[in-house]
Amino acid sequence: MRNNKKGQLGESIQDLVCAIIIILLLVIFFIASNTLWHGSNVEIKKLSTKQAITNQEHISLQSWLQKPVTINKDGENDKGDTIKISELIILAHSNPSYMPILNEEAKKAFGEDYELKLLSANEILQKRIMPVFAGPSILFIPYVKEAGTLFYLPSRSKEKIIFVNLIKKK
Amino acid sequence: MNKIFAKQFNKRALAFGWGMVMAMIIFMSTAWFAFTTTNQKISAEITPLSILEDYYKEQDRLIAYSETSSKLALSQSFYQLAKDSAIDITNSCKVINNVMVWNNNCHPNADFVKQKFLEYYDTNFNSFMLEYPNKMDITYTNVLENTTLISRASPVTFSSEKQGTFAKYNFTYNFEPSIKINLTEQGISLEDFESIYNKILECNKKIECFQKINLENWDISTESQGSWFLFKLKTKKPFIFYENDIENYAPIELNFIIEL
């Protein structure tokens, strides 16, 4: 009878220890999953960095379009004509002789890492949705695939719109 | 006695077992709930930001486009006005060799020049704005206040709706893409047309006087053709303008004849 009681007590303790171990395991799993399996945080950090870069590119292109530039300068005594980059783009779009000045200005402003393109409507890539795996669920986040930064300029030549596209070289 | 004790203990073990199952279900569902709500929260925070950033960018694009369109429309209107010799070509004004004759009946008048310039500007600016890639319903009211052109725009509203797991998000963003441009800074002086005519009147049809006329914004060349005198004026500043949809970047010409 006494042995039986001892055995039962031992069994109860064993059950209790098992329960504690299971609870501890669950707690550890819960903490570890939040700290180690941080899919969402990493993806969000990547995404916010990407977003910050595109914002910076957008502002850079916007202010560059307003920048004054001197063209048609013949010799040192000639003052040339001062126009804005946006106007130079309109000229370069229909007259390729202005392209070298435009490319030079773009290189000065954005460096070798970026490419400036004057595109037509069908060359513009459409906006897409990117799935981001964040833990057990998936987030769908809108983004522009490889389109870079975009501004529009008016024209009355063949193409009625000039798509000014600044894109990072791969 | 032993049987009763064993029965009681079995009941306790059974309750304990069920308790464990319940605890596990609670823990598992709490963990799952924590994951999904965290992601929902993050998603809810990210989505408005990216939507708002898209709105700001679209606003910047629209303003950059409309400002450039406005400048192009200004130079185009100035070109058209100069091509008409700054007079009402619908009136039966005298024409010699396809050049308008300025006389007492047909000569530039400040009010007409402003009105015609605004008329041309309305047409040109609206034609540019109609081509904007993302169609928007904006109405512009154009006014000339001294040397400033104001294009007052109706407010633009961007709105979208997003259905989240726990809530529905509505985004509405308003702005007014109005434009203000100083004509003098663009090298456009509408007063020039009337003041050129007044200077010519002051000369009292003396050729030497005509040849001495000096203008701030224009280069003058003259040709004497016996009974009449041809004035060929060119702006000192080049402008972008379109002639039969061909783009030009050149000084704008103003030609007219004065009969002697």
Side-chain angles (χ1 to χ4, degrees):
Chain A
M1 175 108 178
R2 197 177 286 171
N3 278 346
N4 206 12
K5 261 191 177 177
K6 260 188 183 175
Q8 280 166 353
L9 194 69
E11 215 172 285
S12 303
I13 290 166
Q14 201 181 0
D15 283 348
L16 201 68
V17 169
C18 277
I20 290 165
I21 289 169
I22 289 166
I23 290 166
L24 275 173
L25 277 173
L26 279 171
V27 170
I28 288 165
F29 162 73
F30 188 75
I31 294 165
S33 60
N34 260 331
T35 49
L36 298 174
W37 192 14
H38 47 50
S40 57
N41 291 342
V42 171
E43 288 304 326
I44 284 152
K45 265 183 196 170
K46 273 188 206 167
L47 209 74
S48 60
T49 314
K50 216 175 184 181
Q51 200 77 39
I53 293 167
T54 44
N55 287 348
Q56 204 183 331
E57 286 169 353
H58 173 86
I59 293 164
S60 305
L61 184 58
Q62 186 190 19
S63 53
W64 183 65
L65 290 173
Q66 297 301 313
K67 191 193 155 196
V69 61
T70 306
I71 58 162
N72 299 344
K73 200 177 171 186
D74 287 331
E76 277 182 21
N77 295 327
D78 189 7
K79 282 181 183 175
D81 306 321
T82 305
I83 57 169
K84 284 189 174 171
I85 295 278
S86 55
E87 291 163 320
L88 177 63
I89 290 172
I90 294 167
L91 291 177
H93 187 245
S94 57
N95 186 351
S97 66
Y98 290 105
M99 259 339 250
I101 315 166
L102 183 67
N103 287 334
E104 198 186 311
E105 286 296 325
K107 204 189 262 182
K108 263 196 253 171
F110 308 111
E112 296 282 350
D113 293 345
Y114 284 90
E115 195 182 352
L116 184 83
K117 290 179 182 173
L118 305 184
L119 303 172
S120 62
N122 53 7
E123 287 172 296
I124 297 297
L125 291 165
Q126 294 303 305
K127 192 186 251 186
R128 296 171 184 204
I129 299 286
M130 171 172 58
V132 174
F133 295 97
S137 62
I138 302 170
L139 305 177
F140 293 95
I141 290 160
Y143 76 112
V144 178
K145 199 203 170 201
E146 295 174 332
T149 306
L150 208 61
F151 269 89
Y152 318 120
L153 289 177
S155 171
R156 263 199 185 165
S157 47
K158 267 186 190 175
E159 299 270 350
K160 299 289 177 202
I161 292 277
I162 309 165
F163 291 86
V164 185
N165 187 218
L166 182 71
I167 192 160
K168 197 167 187 177
K169 286 180 191 168
K170 280 176 186 170
Chain B
M1 181 74 180
N2 271 351
K3 266 185 185 175
I4 294 166
F5 188 77
K7 239 185 184 177
Q8 272 180 348
F9 211 82
N10 270 349
K11 268 186 186 171
R12 267 205 332 206
L14 195 71
F16 182 78
W18 276 114
M20 284 306 295
V21 170
M22 291 301 289
M24 277 178 78
I25 289 168
I26 290 166
F27 266 109
M28 291 299 279
S29 40
T30 313
W32 184 263
F33 183 76
F35 271 129
T36 46
T37 45
T38 309
N39 286 332
Q40 288 301 334
K41 273 181 201 166
I42 292 162
S43 171
E45 278 168 24
I46 282 181
T47 311
L49 270 178
S50 72
I51 289 172
L52 278 175
E53 277 173 3
D54 280 353
Y55 287 170
Y56 295 148
K57 283 176 189 167
E58 190 51 35
Q59 178 187 353
D60 289 344
R61 280 187 206 114
L62 176 69
I63 288 171
Y65 181 88
S66 53
E67 276 179 1
T68 316
S69 297
S70 174
K71 282 175 191 169
L72 280 186
L74 282 176
S75 55
Q76 183 67 20
S77 310
F78 191 49
Y79 159 75
Q80 286 171 286
L81 196 63
K83 204 181 166 193
D84 295 347
S85 302
I87 54 175
D88 190 354
I89 49 166
T90 55
N91 281 352
S92 49
C93 294
K94 198 174 176 183
V95 180
I96 300 173
N97 290 354
N98 289 325
V99 181
M100 303 299 289
V101 176
W102 281 7
N103 53 33
N104 286 339
N105 300 323
C106 282
H107 61 84
N109 164 278
D111 292 335
F112 168 78
V113 165
K114 274 189 179 179
Q115 179 215 319
K116 194 69 189 167
F117 180 79
L118 259 182
E119 205 178 286
Y120 281 137
Y121 177 82
D122 275 340
T123 316
N124 292 319
F125 182 61
N126 288 336
S127 76
F128 283 124
M129 290 311 293
L130 277 174
E131 298 293 336
Y132 190 72
N134 303 330
K135 298 294 168 213
M136 283 179 210
D137 190 22
I138 316 168
T139 316
Y140 285 94
T141 313
N142 304 310
V143 192
L144 250 177
E145 280 179 10
N146 300 320
T147 57
T148 307
L149 184 121
I150 304 162
S151 290
R152 283 195 192 97
S154 56
V156 176
T157 305
F158 292 149
S159 60
S160 61
E161 213 178 81
K162 198 186 177 302
Q163 182 65 56
T165 314
F166 301 111
K168 194 178 184 180
Y169 304 99
N170 284 307
F171 303 95
T172 309
Y173 181 72
N174 286 302
F175 69 99
E176 227 184 79
S178 297
I179 308 159
K180 222 177 193 182
I181 293 180
N182 189 308
L183 297 187
T184 318
E185 281 170 15
Q186 299 304 312
I188 295 170
S189 174
L190 296 177
E191 294 76 30
D192 278 0
F193 298 109
E194 200 179 17
S195 71
I196 292 168
Y197 181 67
N198 289 336
K199 279 188 180 179
I200 287 167
L201 277 184
E202 281 166 21
C203 278
N204 212 10
K205 296 189 176 179
K206 283 177 189 158
I207 294 172
E208 304 81 49
C209 178
F210 284 161
Q211 287 161 337
K212 280 179 190 165
I213 291 174
N214 198 14
L215 299 164
E216 195 190 336
N217 302 314
W218 302 81
D219 289 322
I220 307 179
S221 69
T222 50
E223 274 176 37
S224 180
Q225 299 283 344
S227 62
W228 45 269
F229 207 79
L230 172 67
F231 282 84
K232 282 183 170 179
L233 278 72
K234 272 184 182 181
T235 53
K236 289 178 180 167
K237 182 187 180 296
F239 291 87
I240 300 174
F241 58 90
Y242 297 86
E243 208 170 10
N244 303 321
D245 279 352
I246 295 166
E247 192 180 276
N248 290 285
Y249 180 63
I252 285 173
E253 288 180 22
L254 169 71
N255 298 331
F256 59 90
I257 282 172
I258 297 289
E259 286 184 300
L260 299 171

